[in-house]
Amino acid sequence: MKAFGVTNNKFESFTEFEKAKENPTGRDLLVKIEGISINPVDIATRKKIAEDLSDPKILGYDGYGVVDAVGSEVKNFQVGDKVFFAGDYTRDGSYQEYEIIDERIVAHAPKKTSIEKSVAMPLVTLTASELLFEKLQINPAQDNRDKTVLIINGAGGVGSIATQLAHLAGLRVIATASTPEKVNWVKDLGADLVVNHHHDLIKQVHDLGIKHVDYILGLSDNDPHWSEIVELIKPFGTFATITNLRESQIADLKQKSVNFAWEWMFTKAKFKLDSMSTQGDYLEKLAQGLDSGMITSTVTKVFHGFNLENIKKATQLVEAGHMMGKVVIKA
C-alpha cells in the first residue's frame, strides 16, 4: 500500500513509499483512510527527529475511513463501518492508505456531515474536551454562568472547538483573536468577549470590567503572555496548557494557589490506560453534535487528493502558524 513519511526533521524529507498492509489483532481495527487533517503536533513530531531514519516515520493524528478488517476482540465495530479518530502517538499515523488503530479511541463517523468537516475535528475536540472537562473539571450539567474562561489563541484549531464547548457548558468565554476575520470567527463560535493577544491582555480584560478569570487555557506559546496569565488568573483558579512551559515559571502561580495542568491528548493511548475509552466516548458525542448542528466544524481549507504534493502544501499552511481553524486532505 501507499504511505507518506519523513526520514529526518526537515520538511524536504517528506517521501512517498510502499508499505505492507497489516492485519489487525486484539481490539485493533484496520481502516482504509478517506480523509486526514494536519495538526501542529505533526510538525512538532517531525522536528523532534534527532537523526536520519532508515524507515520513514508516518505522521498524522486525525483520520476518517472505512473499517476494512477487525481484530478478534473487537466489540463495537464491524467491517464496512465509517469511523473517525485522532490516533495513537506510539503507532504509525494516518498518512497512509490503511491504518491500524485501537477501537477504544475510535468512534462511528457522523452520518450527515461530510468527510472533510468530520475529519477536521477529532484531535482538537479530544484536546479541548480533556482540557475543559478533566483538567478544569467543568461540569456541563451545572449552572456555570458565574465562571469565566480566557482562551488564548481562540481562533486556532483547539481554540475554535474549546470556545464552542465552553459556550455550550454555559461559561462566559473570552477568546483572543488578532484580525477582524478571526474576531468574527470566534464570536460566531460562541465567544462572549474577544481580546487581541497582540496587545496588553490585562488592560483589555480589565476594560471589560473583569478583574480576574476563573480559568485560562494556554493554546499558544505561553512565554509572551506569562505575566498576563499570572495577573489575570483568579486565586484558586486553574491554568491549563497544551504547550511547553519553563519550570521556573510555574512558581509564579504559587501565591494565588493556582491549579496547574498539562494536557496531551495522546497520554491515555500511549500508556494504555483504562480511561482511553473515554476518547471514543467523546468522539461519539462529537459525531452527534456535528450531525445535529450543535457543533460547527472548524475546517477552513480542503485539499482534494491524498498525495505527497497535497500533504506538503497542507503542512506548509499549518507550519506557517497563522491558520484559522483546520486544514484537511480528502482522498
Side-chain angles (χ1 to χ4, degrees), residues 243-276:
T243 61
N244 290 334
L245 194 66
R246 295 194 304 274
E247 185 178 351
S248 59
Q249 291 176 306
I250 298 175
D252 297 337
L253 301 172
K254 182 178 180 181
Q255 286 192 342
K256 287 185 173 180
S257 297
V258 171
N259 300 298
F260 170 72
W262 295 113
E263 164 57 20
W264 194 55
M265 179 238 103
F266 299 108
T267 299
K268 293 173 182 175
K270 177 179 173 63
F271 294 99
K272 300 296 182 283
L273 303 180
D274 291 340
S275 59
M276 66 191 287

PDB file of all heavy atoms in Angstrom, residues 243-276:
ATOM      1  N   THR A 243       0.961  23.626  25.538  1.00  0.00           N
ATOM      2  CA  THR A 243       2.288  23.976  25.036  1.00  0.00           C
ATOM      3  C   THR A 243       3.304  23.977  26.166  1.00  0.00           C
ATOM      4  O   THR A 243       2.950  23.908  27.342  1.00  0.00           O
ATOM      5  CB  THR A 243       2.269  25.350  24.340  1.00  0.00           C
ATOM      6  OG1 THR A 243       1.873  26.342  25.288  1.00  0.00           O
ATOM      7  CG2 THR A 243       1.297  25.362  23.184  1.00  0.00           C
ATOM      8  N   ASN A 244       4.556  24.082  25.817  1.00  0.00           N
ATOM      9  CA  ASN A 244       5.621  23.975  26.812  1.00  0.00           C
ATOM     10  C   ASN A 244       5.670  25.187  27.732  1.00  0.00           C
ATOM     11  O   ASN A 244       5.195  26.279  27.395  1.00  0.00           O
ATOM     12  CB  ASN A 244       6.966  23.798  26.126  1.00  0.00           C
ATOM     13  CG  ASN A 244       7.096  22.432  25.471  1.00  0.00           C
ATOM     14  OD1 ASN A 244       6.448  21.481  25.900  1.00  0.00           O
ATOM     15  ND2 ASN A 244       7.914  22.335  24.444  1.00  0.00           N
ATOM     16  N   LEU A 245       6.269  24.957  28.889  1.00  0.00           N
ATOM     17  CA  LEU A 245       6.376  25.996  29.910  1.00  0.00           C
ATOM     18  C   LEU A 245       7.675  25.757  30.670  1.00  0.00           C
ATOM     19  O   LEU A 245       8.007  24.614  30.992  1.00  0.00           O
ATOM     20  CB  LEU A 245       5.185  25.894  30.859  1.00  0.00           C
ATOM     21  CG  LEU A 245       4.903  27.051  31.805  1.00  0.00           C
ATOM     22  CD1 LEU A 245       4.486  28.286  31.017  1.00  0.00           C
ATOM     23  CD2 LEU A 245       3.787  26.665  32.772  1.00  0.00           C
ATOM     24  N   ARG A 246       8.400  26.818  30.943  1.00  0.00           N
ATOM     25  CA  ARG A 246       9.623  26.664  31.734  1.00  0.00           C
ATOM     26  C   ARG A 246       9.268  26.356  33.185  1.00  0.00           C
ATOM     27  O   ARG A 246       8.355  26.956  33.748  1.00  0.00           O
ATOM     28  CB  ARG A 246      10.469  27.935  31.661  1.00  0.00           C
ATOM     29  CG  ARG A 246      11.012  28.240  30.275  1.00  0.00           C
ATOM     30  CD  ARG A 246      12.094  29.305  30.343  1.00  0.00           C
ATOM     31  NE  ARG A 246      11.634  30.522  30.986  1.00  0.00           N
ATOM     32  CZ  ARG A 246      11.006  31.512  30.353  1.00  0.00           C
ATOM     33  NH1 ARG A 246      10.763  31.413  29.053  1.00  0.00           N
ATOM     34  NH2 ARG A 246      10.635  32.592  30.999  1.00  0.00           N
ATOM     35  N   GLU A 247       9.997  25.428  33.781  1.00  0.00           N
ATOM     36  CA  GLU A 247       9.707  25.004  35.149  1.00  0.00           C
ATOM     37  C   GLU A 247       9.742  26.173  36.127  1.00  0.00           C
ATOM     38  O   GLU A 247       8.940  26.244  37.061  1.00  0.00           O
ATOM     39  CB  GLU A 247      10.721  23.939  35.575  1.00  0.00           C
ATOM     40  CG  GLU A 247      10.438  23.354  36.943  1.00  0.00           C
ATOM     41  CD  GLU A 247      11.425  22.272  37.318  1.00  0.00           C
ATOM     42  OE1 GLU A 247      12.223  21.864  36.451  1.00  0.00           O
ATOM     43  OE2 GLU A 247      11.405  21.839  38.479  1.00  0.00           O
ATOM     44  N   SER A 248      10.638  27.113  35.886  1.00  0.00           N
ATOM     45  CA  SER A 248      10.770  28.253  36.798  1.00  0.00           C
ATOM     46  C   SER A 248       9.529  29.126  36.806  1.00  0.00           C
ATOM     47  O   SER A 248       9.260  29.821  37.789  1.00  0.00           O
ATOM     48  CB  SER A 248      11.982  29.095  36.400  1.00  0.00           C
ATOM     49  OG  SER A 248      11.848  29.577  35.072  1.00  0.00           O
ATOM     50  N   GLN A 249       8.754  29.087  35.703  1.00  0.00           N
ATOM     51  CA  GLN A 249       7.573  29.948  35.633  1.00  0.00           C
ATOM     52  C   GLN A 249       6.456  29.473  36.552  1.00  0.00           C
ATOM     53  O   GLN A 249       5.692  30.291  37.081  1.00  0.00           O
ATOM     54  CB  GLN A 249       7.054  30.002  34.193  1.00  0.00           C
ATOM     55  CG  GLN A 249       7.975  30.735  33.225  1.00  0.00           C
ATOM     56  CD  GLN A 249       7.451  30.669  31.810  1.00  0.00           C
ATOM     57  OE1 GLN A 249       7.193  29.603  31.287  1.00  0.00           O
ATOM     58  NE2 GLN A 249       7.276  31.822  31.188  1.00  0.00           N
ATOM     59  N   ILE A 250       6.330  28.174  36.717  1.00  0.00           N
ATOM     60  CA  ILE A 250       5.189  27.636  37.455  1.00  0.00           C
ATOM     61  C   ILE A 250       5.132  28.191  38.878  1.00  0.00           C
ATOM     62  O   ILE A 250       4.049  28.409  39.434  1.00  0.00           O
ATOM     63  CB  ILE A 250       5.245  26.091  37.460  1.00  0.00           C
ATOM     64  CG1 ILE A 250       5.159  25.571  36.022  1.00  0.00           C
ATOM     65  CG2 ILE A 250       4.118  25.508  38.301  1.00  0.00           C
ATOM     66  CD1 ILE A 250       5.326  24.076  35.888  1.00  0.00           C
ATOM     67  N   ALA A 251       6.278  28.472  39.457  1.00  0.00           N
ATOM     68  CA  ALA A 251       6.307  29.015  40.827  1.00  0.00           C
ATOM     69  C   ALA A 251       5.594  30.356  40.924  1.00  0.00           C
ATOM     70  O   ALA A 251       5.141  30.742  42.010  1.00  0.00           O
ATOM     71  CB  ALA A 251       7.751  29.151  41.296  1.00  0.00           C
ATOM     72  N   ASP A 252       5.468  31.073  39.811  1.00  0.00           N
ATOM     73  CA  ASP A 252       4.779  32.364  39.830  1.00  0.00           C
ATOM     74  C   ASP A 252       3.298  32.218  40.191  1.00  0.00           C
ATOM     75  O   ASP A 252       2.649  33.201  40.566  1.00  0.00           O
ATOM     76  CB  ASP A 252       4.886  33.058  38.463  1.00  0.00           C
ATOM     77  CG  ASP A 252       6.320  33.396  38.094  1.00  0.00           C
ATOM     78  OD1 ASP A 252       7.153  33.502  39.011  1.00  0.00           O
ATOM     79  OD2 ASP A 252       6.598  33.568  36.892  1.00  0.00           O
ATOM     80  N   LEU A 253       2.768  31.012  40.062  1.00  0.00           N
ATOM     81  CA  LEU A 253       1.345  30.776  40.354  1.00  0.00           C
ATOM     82  C   LEU A 253       1.103  30.421  41.821  1.00  0.00           C
ATOM     83  O   LEU A 253      -0.043  30.320  42.258  1.00  0.00           O
ATOM     84  CB  LEU A 253       0.816  29.631  39.479  1.00  0.00           C
ATOM     85  CG  LEU A 253       0.926  29.816  37.971  1.00  0.00           C
ATOM     86  CD1 LEU A 253       0.542  28.527  37.255  1.00  0.00           C
ATOM     87  CD2 LEU A 253       0.056  30.969  37.490  1.00  0.00           C
ATOM     88  N   LYS A 254       2.189  30.260  42.578  1.00  0.00           N
ATOM     89  CA  LYS A 254       2.059  29.738  43.933  1.00  0.00           C
ATOM     90  C   LYS A 254       1.263  30.653  44.859  1.00  0.00           C
ATOM     91  O   LYS A 254       0.399  30.189  45.617  1.00  0.00           O
ATOM     92  CB  LYS A 254       3.452  29.481  44.517  1.00  0.00           C
ATOM     93  CG  LYS A 254       3.431  28.882  45.923  1.00  0.00           C
ATOM     94  CD  LYS A 254       4.840  28.600  46.419  1.00  0.00           C
ATOM     95  CE  LYS A 254       4.810  28.012  47.813  1.00  0.00           C
ATOM     96  NZ  LYS A 254       6.177  27.735  48.333  1.00  0.00           N
ATOM     97  N   GLN A 255       1.544  31.960  44.831  1.00  0.00           N
ATOM     98  CA  GLN A 255       0.894  32.875  45.783  1.00  0.00           C
ATOM     99  C   GLN A 255      -0.620  32.888  45.636  1.00  0.00           C
ATOM    100  O   GLN A 255      -1.333  33.145  46.613  1.00  0.00           O
ATOM    101  CB  GLN A 255       1.442  34.294  45.621  1.00  0.00           C
ATOM    102  CG  GLN A 255       2.839  34.468  46.177  1.00  0.00           C
ATOM    103  CD  GLN A 255       3.243  35.923  46.265  1.00  0.00           C
ATOM    104  OE1 GLN A 255       2.638  36.797  45.625  1.00  0.00           O
ATOM    105  NE2 GLN A 255       4.264  36.204  47.062  1.00  0.00           N
ATOM    106  N   LYS A 256      -1.095  32.595  44.426  1.00  0.00           N
ATOM    107  CA  LYS A 256      -2.542  32.546  44.209  1.00  0.00           C
ATOM    108  C   LYS A 256      -3.115  31.134  44.377  1.00  0.00           C
ATOM    109  O   LYS A 256      -4.315  30.928  44.168  1.00  0.00           O
ATOM    110  CB  LYS A 256      -2.890  33.067  42.812  1.00  0.00           C
ATOM    111  CG  LYS A 256      -2.762  34.579  42.654  1.00  0.00           C
ATOM    112  CD  LYS A 256      -3.246  35.006  41.271  1.00  0.00           C
ATOM    113  CE  LYS A 256      -3.299  36.529  41.154  1.00  0.00           C
ATOM    114  NZ  LYS A 256      -3.766  36.961  39.809  1.00  0.00           N
ATOM    115  N   SER A 257      -2.268  30.189  44.741  1.00  0.00           N
ATOM    116  CA  SER A 257      -2.703  28.792  44.881  1.00  0.00           C
ATOM    117  C   SER A 257      -3.430  28.313  43.622  1.00  0.00           C
ATOM    118  O   SER A 257      -4.458  27.640  43.680  1.00  0.00           O
ATOM    119  CB  SER A 257      -3.605  28.610  46.113  1.00  0.00           C
ATOM    120  OG  SER A 257      -2.909  28.902  47.298  1.00  0.00           O
ATOM    121  N   VAL A 258      -2.848  28.667  42.483  1.00  0.00           N
ATOM    122  CA  VAL A 258      -3.468  28.320  41.203  1.00  0.00           C
ATOM    123  C   VAL A 258      -3.216  26.843  40.892  1.00  0.00           C
ATOM    124  O   VAL A 258      -2.112  26.333  41.064  1.00  0.00           O
ATOM    125  CB  VAL A 258      -2.900  29.205  40.072  1.00  0.00           C
ATOM    126  CG1 VAL A 258      -3.350  28.720  38.701  1.00  0.00           C
ATOM    127  CG2 VAL A 258      -3.326  30.656  40.284  1.00  0.00           C
ATOM    128  N   ASN A 259      -4.253  26.161  40.424  1.00  0.00           N
ATOM    129  CA  ASN A 259      -4.108  24.792  39.945  1.00  0.00           C
ATOM    130  C   ASN A 259      -3.503  24.831  38.547  1.00  0.00           C
ATOM    131  O   ASN A 259      -3.906  25.640  37.709  1.00  0.00           O
ATOM    132  CB  ASN A 259      -5.469  24.104  39.889  1.00  0.00           C
ATOM    133  CG  ASN A 259      -6.146  24.053  41.242  1.00  0.00           C
ATOM    134  OD1 ASN A 259      -5.634  23.448  42.173  1.00  0.00           O
ATOM    135  ND2 ASN A 259      -7.285  24.728  41.356  1.00  0.00           N
ATOM    136  N   PHE A 260      -2.544  23.937  38.301  1.00  0.00           N
ATOM    137  CA  PHE A 260      -1.889  23.908  37.001  1.00  0.00           C
ATOM    138  C   PHE A 260      -2.012  22.514  36.410  1.00  0.00           C
ATOM    139  O   PHE A 260      -1.850  21.517  37.111  1.00  0.00           O
ATOM    140  CB  PHE A 260      -0.410  24.281  37.132  1.00  0.00           C
ATOM    141  CG  PHE A 260       0.372  24.037  35.876  1.00  0.00           C
ATOM    142  CD1 PHE A 260       0.199  24.848  34.765  1.00  0.00           C
ATOM    143  CD2 PHE A 260       1.247  22.965  35.793  1.00  0.00           C
ATOM    144  CE1 PHE A 260       0.901  24.612  33.599  1.00  0.00           C
ATOM    145  CE2 PHE A 260       1.968  22.729  34.638  1.00  0.00           C
ATOM    146  CZ  PHE A 260       1.786  23.548  33.530  1.00  0.00           C
ATOM    147  N   ALA A 261      -2.312  22.433  35.099  1.00  0.00           N
ATOM    148  CA  ALA A 261      -2.471  21.125  34.470  1.00  0.00           C
ATOM    149  C   ALA A 261      -1.926  21.135  33.042  1.00  0.00           C
ATOM    150  O   ALA A 261      -2.132  22.094  32.294  1.00  0.00           O
ATOM    151  CB  ALA A 261      -3.948  20.722  34.448  1.00  0.00           C
ATOM    152  N   TRP A 262      -1.229  20.052  32.708  1.00  0.00           N
ATOM    153  CA  TRP A 262      -0.829  19.811  31.324  1.00  0.00           C
ATOM    154  C   TRP A 262      -1.943  19.049  30.613  1.00  0.00           C
ATOM    155  O   TRP A 262      -2.660  18.261  31.231  1.00  0.00           O
ATOM    156  CB  TRP A 262       0.411  18.920  31.256  1.00  0.00           C
ATOM    157  CG  TRP A 262       1.675  19.472  31.818  1.00  0.00           C
ATOM    158  CD1 TRP A 262       2.343  19.025  32.922  1.00  0.00           C
ATOM    159  CD2 TRP A 262       2.456  20.551  31.294  1.00  0.00           C
ATOM    160  NE1 TRP A 262       3.485  19.755  33.115  1.00  0.00           N
ATOM    161  CE2 TRP A 262       3.582  20.701  32.128  1.00  0.00           C
ATOM    162  CE3 TRP A 262       2.315  21.406  30.198  1.00  0.00           C
ATOM    163  CZ2 TRP A 262       4.559  21.658  31.912  1.00  0.00           C
ATOM    164  CZ3 TRP A 262       3.286  22.362  29.969  1.00  0.00           C
ATOM    165  CH2 TRP A 262       4.389  22.493  30.810  1.00  0.00           C
ATOM    166  N   GLU A 263      -2.040  19.242  29.322  1.00  0.00           N
ATOM    167  CA  GLU A 263      -2.922  18.407  28.501  1.00  0.00           C
ATOM    168  C   GLU A 263      -2.150  17.924  27.289  1.00  0.00           C
ATOM    169  O   GLU A 263      -1.614  18.723  26.513  1.00  0.00           O
ATOM    170  CB  GLU A 263      -4.165  19.187  28.054  1.00  0.00           C
ATOM    171  CG  GLU A 263      -4.954  18.566  26.910  1.00  0.00           C
ATOM    172  CD  GLU A 263      -5.448  17.139  27.175  1.00  0.00           C
ATOM    173  OE1 GLU A 263      -5.537  16.727  28.358  1.00  0.00           O
ATOM    174  OE2 GLU A 263      -5.747  16.434  26.190  1.00  0.00           O
ATOM    175  N   TRP A 264      -2.072  16.593  27.159  1.00  0.00           N
ATOM    176  CA  TRP A 264      -1.513  15.954  25.954  1.00  0.00           C
ATOM    177  C   TRP A 264      -2.470  14.835  25.600  1.00  0.00           C
ATOM    178  O   TRP A 264      -2.581  13.854  26.332  1.00  0.00           O
ATOM    179  CB  TRP A 264      -0.101  15.423  26.228  1.00  0.00           C
ATOM    180  CG  TRP A 264       0.648  15.064  24.979  1.00  0.00           C
ATOM    181  CD1 TRP A 264       0.888  15.859  23.905  1.00  0.00           C
ATOM    182  CD2 TRP A 264       1.271  13.805  24.694  1.00  0.00           C
ATOM    183  NE1 TRP A 264       1.631  15.183  22.957  1.00  0.00           N
ATOM    184  CE2 TRP A 264       1.876  13.915  23.415  1.00  0.00           C
ATOM    185  CE3 TRP A 264       1.389  12.598  25.375  1.00  0.00           C
ATOM    186  CZ2 TRP A 264       2.571  12.877  22.810  1.00  0.00           C
ATOM    187  CZ3 TRP A 264       2.090  11.559  24.782  1.00  0.00           C
ATOM    188  CH2 TRP A 264       2.673  11.707  23.521  1.00  0.00           C
ATOM    189  N   MET A 265      -3.158  14.999  24.516  1.00  0.00           N
ATOM    190  CA  MET A 265      -4.258  14.117  24.161  1.00  0.00           C
ATOM    191  C   MET A 265      -3.855  12.666  23.952  1.00  0.00           C
ATOM    192  O   MET A 265      -4.675  11.758  24.012  1.00  0.00           O
ATOM    193  CB  MET A 265      -4.876  14.715  22.908  1.00  0.00           C
ATOM    194  CG  MET A 265      -6.011  14.076  22.255  1.00  0.00           C
ATOM    195  SD  MET A 265      -5.658  13.663  20.568  1.00  0.00           S
ATOM    196  CE  MET A 265      -5.409  11.945  20.826  1.00  0.00           C
ATOM    197  N   PHE A 266      -2.564  12.408  23.767  1.00  0.00           N
ATOM    198  CA  PHE A 266      -2.099  11.053  23.481  1.00  0.00           C
ATOM    199  C   PHE A 266      -1.744  10.243  24.732  1.00  0.00           C
ATOM    200  O   PHE A 266      -1.397   9.068  24.632  1.00  0.00           O
ATOM    201  CB  PHE A 266      -0.861  11.109  22.580  1.00  0.00           C
ATOM    202  CG  PHE A 266      -1.119  11.768  21.254  1.00  0.00           C
ATOM    203  CD1 PHE A 266      -0.612  13.027  20.978  1.00  0.00           C
ATOM    204  CD2 PHE A 266      -1.877  11.136  20.279  1.00  0.00           C
ATOM    205  CE1 PHE A 266      -0.842  13.638  19.761  1.00  0.00           C
ATOM    206  CE2 PHE A 266      -2.113  11.739  19.054  1.00  0.00           C
ATOM    207  CZ  PHE A 266      -1.590  12.990  18.792  1.00  0.00           C
ATOM    208  N   THR A 267      -1.826  10.846  25.910  1.00  0.00           N
ATOM    209  CA  THR A 267      -1.368  10.174  27.128  1.00  0.00           C
ATOM    210  C   THR A 267      -2.102   8.857  27.367  1.00  0.00           C
ATOM    211  O   THR A 267      -1.490   7.833  27.693  1.00  0.00           O
ATOM    212  CB  THR A 267      -1.542  11.103  28.347  1.00  0.00           C
ATOM    213  OG1 THR A 267      -0.749  12.269  28.159  1.00  0.00           O
ATOM    214  CG2 THR A 267      -1.128  10.405  29.632  1.00  0.00           C
ATOM    215  N   LYS A 268      -3.412   8.858  27.224  1.00  0.00           N
ATOM    216  CA  LYS A 268      -4.201   7.669  27.565  1.00  0.00           C
ATOM    217  C   LYS A 268      -3.825   6.478  26.690  1.00  0.00           C
ATOM    218  O   LYS A 268      -3.675   5.357  27.181  1.00  0.00           O
ATOM    219  CB  LYS A 268      -5.691   7.986  27.440  1.00  0.00           C
ATOM    220  CG  LYS A 268      -6.189   8.993  28.459  1.00  0.00           C
ATOM    221  CD  LYS A 268      -7.625   9.408  28.180  1.00  0.00           C
ATOM    222  CE  LYS A 268      -8.106  10.455  29.189  1.00  0.00           C
ATOM    223  NZ  LYS A 268      -9.459  10.956  28.871  1.00  0.00           N
ATOM    224  N   ALA A 269      -3.672   6.720  25.390  1.00  0.00           N
ATOM    225  CA  ALA A 269      -3.325   5.622  24.487  1.00  0.00           C
ATOM    226  C   ALA A 269      -1.859   5.210  24.645  1.00  0.00           C
ATOM    227  O   ALA A 269      -1.534   4.021  24.594  1.00  0.00           O
ATOM    228  CB  ALA A 269      -3.609   6.021  23.044  1.00  0.00           C
ATOM    229  N   LYS A 270      -0.978   6.184  24.861  1.00  0.00           N
ATOM    230  CA  LYS A 270       0.451   5.873  24.996  1.00  0.00           C
ATOM    231  C   LYS A 270       0.705   4.911  26.149  1.00  0.00           C
ATOM    232  O   LYS A 270       1.514   3.981  26.047  1.00  0.00           O
ATOM    233  CB  LYS A 270       1.246   7.170  25.209  1.00  0.00           C
ATOM    234  CG  LYS A 270       2.747   6.946  25.434  1.00  0.00           C
ATOM    235  CD  LYS A 270       3.475   8.267  25.609  1.00  0.00           C
ATOM    236  CE  LYS A 270       4.933   8.056  25.997  1.00  0.00           C
ATOM    237  NZ  LYS A 270       5.714   7.363  24.968  1.00  0.00           N
ATOM    238  N   PHE A 271      -0.003   5.132  27.257  1.00  0.00           N
ATOM    239  CA  PHE A 271       0.224   4.305  28.438  1.00  0.00           C
ATOM    240  C   PHE A 271      -0.855   3.227  28.606  1.00  0.00           C
ATOM    241  O   PHE A 271      -0.942   2.593  29.652  1.00  0.00           O
ATOM    242  CB  PHE A 271       0.310   5.188  29.685  1.00  0.00           C
ATOM    243  CG  PHE A 271       1.510   6.091  29.674  1.00  0.00           C
ATOM    244  CD1 PHE A 271       1.388   7.422  29.287  1.00  0.00           C
ATOM    245  CD2 PHE A 271       2.762   5.608  30.007  1.00  0.00           C
ATOM    246  CE1 PHE A 271       2.502   8.262  29.250  1.00  0.00           C
ATOM    247  CE2 PHE A 271       3.872   6.430  29.978  1.00  0.00           C
ATOM    248  CZ  PHE A 271       3.743   7.765  29.597  1.00  0.00           C
ATOM    249  N   LYS A 272      -1.682   3.041  27.558  1.00  0.00           N
ATOM    250  CA  LYS A 272      -2.713   2.001  27.538  1.00  0.00           C
ATOM    251  C   LYS A 272      -3.576   2.035  28.802  1.00  0.00           C
ATOM    252  O   LYS A 272      -3.851   1.010  29.441  1.00  0.00           O
ATOM    253  CB  LYS A 272      -2.072   0.617  27.375  1.00  0.00           C
ATOM    254  CG  LYS A 272      -1.266   0.451  26.091  1.00  0.00           C
ATOM    255  CD  LYS A 272      -2.158   0.576  24.866  1.00  0.00           C
ATOM    256  CE  LYS A 272      -1.386   0.360  23.564  1.00  0.00           C
ATOM    257  NZ  LYS A 272      -0.563   1.527  23.172  1.00  0.00           N
ATOM    258  N   LEU A 273      -3.998   3.249  29.175  1.00  0.00           N
ATOM    259  CA  LEU A 273      -4.809   3.423  30.370  1.00  0.00           C
ATOM    260  C   LEU A 273      -6.239   2.940  30.117  1.00  0.00           C
ATOM    261  O   LEU A 273      -6.748   3.005  29.000  1.00  0.00           O
ATOM    262  CB  LEU A 273      -4.828   4.897  30.769  1.00  0.00           C
ATOM    263  CG  LEU A 273      -3.466   5.549  31.033  1.00  0.00           C
ATOM    264  CD1 LEU A 273      -3.657   7.015  31.412  1.00  0.00           C
ATOM    265  CD2 LEU A 273      -2.702   4.810  32.119  1.00  0.00           C
ATOM    266  N   ASP A 274      -6.889   2.463  31.175  1.00  0.00           N
ATOM    267  CA  ASP A 274      -8.288   2.055  31.040  1.00  0.00           C
ATOM    268  C   ASP A 274      -9.156   3.207  30.546  1.00  0.00           C
ATOM    269  O   ASP A 274     -10.155   2.993  29.860  1.00  0.00           O
ATOM    270  CB  ASP A 274      -8.825   1.553  32.392  1.00  0.00           C
ATOM    271  CG  ASP A 274      -8.195   0.230  32.825  1.00  0.00           C
ATOM    272  OD1 ASP A 274      -7.650  -0.471  31.943  1.00  0.00           O
ATOM    273  OD2 ASP A 274      -8.244  -0.083  34.030  1.00  0.00           O
ATOM    274  N   SER A 275      -8.736   4.428  30.895  1.00  0.00           N
ATOM    275  CA  SER A 275      -9.532   5.612  30.535  1.00  0.00           C
ATOM    276  C   SER A 275      -9.440   5.971  29.052  1.00  0.00           C
ATOM    277  O   SER A 275     -10.094   6.912  28.615  1.00  0.00           O
ATOM    278  CB  SER A 275      -9.092   6.810  31.372  1.00  0.00           C
ATOM    279  OG  SER A 275      -7.710   7.087  31.174  1.00  0.00           O
ATOM    280  N   MET A 276      -8.652   5.228  28.263  1.00  0.00           N
ATOM    281  CA  MET A 276      -8.543   5.572  26.849  1.00  0.00           C
ATOM    282  C   MET A 276      -9.892   5.459  26.144  1.00  0.00           C
ATOM    283  O   MET A 276     -10.139   6.138  25.142  1.00  0.00           O
ATOM    284  CB  MET A 276      -7.479   4.751  26.141  1.00  0.00           C
ATOM    285  CG  MET A 276      -7.742   3.280  26.025  1.00  0.00           C
ATOM    286  SD  MET A 276      -6.278   2.351  25.447  1.00  0.00           S
ATOM    287  CE  MET A 276      -6.198   2.807  23.729  1.00  0.00           C
TER     288      MET A 276
END
